[in-house]
Amino acid sequence: MNKIIVNGDSVTLNTNSSLDIKVIEKQDIFDITKIEINVLKSTSLIIEYNNKEESKLDICIKVKENINFKLYELRCEEKIKVQYKYYLDTNSNTLVNKFYNCNKVKELDVIYLNGENAEINYNYNSISKDKQDLDIVVYHMCKNTISNLNNKAVNLLNGKTKFNVTGMVYNGIKNCIVNQNNRIINLNDKKCTINPILIIDENDVEANHSALIGKFSDSELFYLMSRGITEEKALNLLIKGFLNVDIKNKKKLDEIINMYWR
């Protein structure tokens, strides 16, 4: 499987001919590292980030026609500012699975479904210990395109999470499916925000959104504790179930969650 490791200013590539990758390291006034990824054949890619300092990235991903692409990301960082742009051509299918264990996050994802039958399934999972802002905008540029967005966060310590999620379909772009599911589990008393936005200028579209901010229910905790599981362990199990995303490193994901809930 293809892999990219981002560690500070260093970007290490271990990839094959299915990907054409260009890295431009911090050469502009804004001190931003740019990564351009062209997906030429159906493949998978793992990106791991291990930055102790602030990370600033601009990532562009282009998926060609008739290609299935899977992206897995694991971030363990202090502070990040990142912009993603996805361009999906005709009959392409992209899966994005992200898991973040970060303090401060400022992220913008812009997704263009440029070809007929293009589809993206996007899953964002985060442990928030400070301010985290995620903005996603999906443009359905052709008919028969599909977007399924699932965003989840667990807040602890000083964690505050904000999701701004927008799906756009213009007039004449028919037979699209636009789905959003946003959930935040708040284990502190900080304010969180979810703004699910659907801008639909076409009747022949299926569009849905859901938003939930809250805690695990008492009945869920009681059920587990009634079977001899401690409250801390019950919370651990519920969070592992809630942040259950495939990042191709299940051991590391469990280790991160166990750092906070043993």
Side-chain angles (χ1 to χ4, degrees), residues 97-99 123-126 150 152 154 236-247 250 253-254 257:
N97 283 349
K98 298 186 177 189
F99 186 91
N123 302 290
Y124 175 92
N125 294 262
S126 179
N150 298 284
K152 299 178 182 178
V154 175
N236 177 289
L237 293 172
L238 288 171
I239 288 171
K240 285 180 178 177
F242 180 71
L243 298 176
N244 184 20
V245 60
D246 180 13
I247 58 167
K250 181 69 164 58
L253 189 151
D254 287 345
I257 293 175

Side-chain angles (χ1 to χ4, degrees), residues 97-149:
N97 283 349
K98 298 186 177 189
F99 186 91
Y100 287 14
N101 177 38
C102 304
N103 285 343
K104 295 184 179 180
V105 175
K106 182 68 174 178
E107 176 169 335
L108 170 63
D109 290 29
V110 184
I111 302 165
Y112 297 93
L113 301 178
N114 286 333
E116 189 173 344
N117 300 316
E119 177 178 347
I120 188 160
N121 294 281
Y122 179 102
N123 302 290
Y124 175 92
N125 294 262
S126 179
I127 296 174
S128 174
K129 297 167 286 183
D130 206 316
K131 185 178 180 181
Q132 296 196 3
D133 293 342
L134 173 67
D135 291 84
I136 305 176
V137 184
V138 183
Y139 293 95
H140 289 254
M141 307 299 292
C142 278
K143 64 180 182 179
N144 301 320
T145 48
I146 300 173
S147 62
N148 294 306
L149 310 181

